[in-house]
Amino acid sequence: MNEIKKVLIAIDNEPSSEKVALHGFQLGSRLNAEIALISVIDTTMIMTEGSVTPMEFAETMKNECKKNQQLLVDHVFKDYKVWTFVEEGKPHEVILNMAQEWEADIIVLGTHGRKGISHLLLGSVAEKVLRHAEKPLFIIPTKS
């Protein structure tokens, strides 16, 4: 097994992101690994009404992700150096592409544990990453 030197932590803007980030940080810091946070704006799902364009909405979402990441960096990671990425696209594809580009050794992400119609409608980013990943995954259940 290869040594884990880089940990990529995928988060969204849900309250459960802190739990995922904390588990990822614990793993990365114990291994003295580099750590990166990635948030993805799903541009395939953006629909807007009124005077807000999809591009403006995406920009607003990017800013929210950046704020969320900064709060996590300040609260969870404190003095630990953390890379941050906010990207656009299909979340599972972007996460997998970033893992390749950044040369992550493991991907940490959460799963909401949705079932039934909500799973069918929303899909599962974790499930799609799992099906297509070429890297090890550390999946954190975030269901309360």
Side-chain angles (χ1 to χ4, degrees):
M1 185 169 133
N2 295 338
E3 186 179 357
I4 295 175
K5 295 180 182 177
K6 288 186 166 188
V7 177
L8 180 66
I9 305 169
I11 59 169
D12 53 23
N13 273 352
E14 298 291 322
S16 59
S17 289
E18 186 169 351
K19 180 178 181 181
V20 174
L22 183 59
H23 281 286
F25 172 67
Q26 289 172 343
L27 174 68
S29 64
R30 285 191 179 132
L31 297 170
N32 200 27
E34 284 186 68
I35 297 174
L37 291 173
I38 183 168
S39 300
V40 183
I41 309 302
D42 188 348
T43 52
T44 64
M45 301 297 284
I46 294 178
M47 292 187 287
T48 61
E49 291 182 20
S51 61
V52 179
T53 68
M55 280 179 43
E56 290 170 330
F57 185 76
E59 196 59 37
T60 299
M61 293 301 298
K62 274 184 161 180
N63 289 332
E64 287 298 313
C65 287
K66 288 176 185 177
K67 284 181 199 170
N68 186 43
Q69 286 182 345
Q70 190 58 54
L71 286 171
L72 288 171
V73 167
D74 294 344
H75 179 70
V76 175
F77 300 95
K78 295 183 175 65
D79 296 325
Y80 205 92
K81 165 100 172 90
V82 179
W83 299 86
T84 58
F85 304 103
V86 176
E87 304 292 332
E88 293 181 26
K90 291 183 180 177
H92 74 282
E93 290 176 0
V94 174
I95 292 166
L96 292 169
N97 288 338
M98 183 56 71
Q100 286 298 110
E101 285 177 32
W102 192 63
E103 299 178 347
D105 298 302
I106 190 167
I107 303 168
V108 177
L109 68 163
T111 180
H112 298 289
R114 292 184 181 102
K115 292 185 169 125
I117 194 73
S118 65
H119 174 75
L120 184 65
L121 292 174
L122 298 172
S124 169
V125 173
E127 184 178 332
K128 290 174 185 168
V129 170
L130 177 64
R131 290 184 189 276
H132 301 285
E134 296 177 5
K135 302 197 178 269
L137 302 176
F138 183 27
I139 299 178
I140 312 301
T142 60
K143 192 168 132 182
S144 300

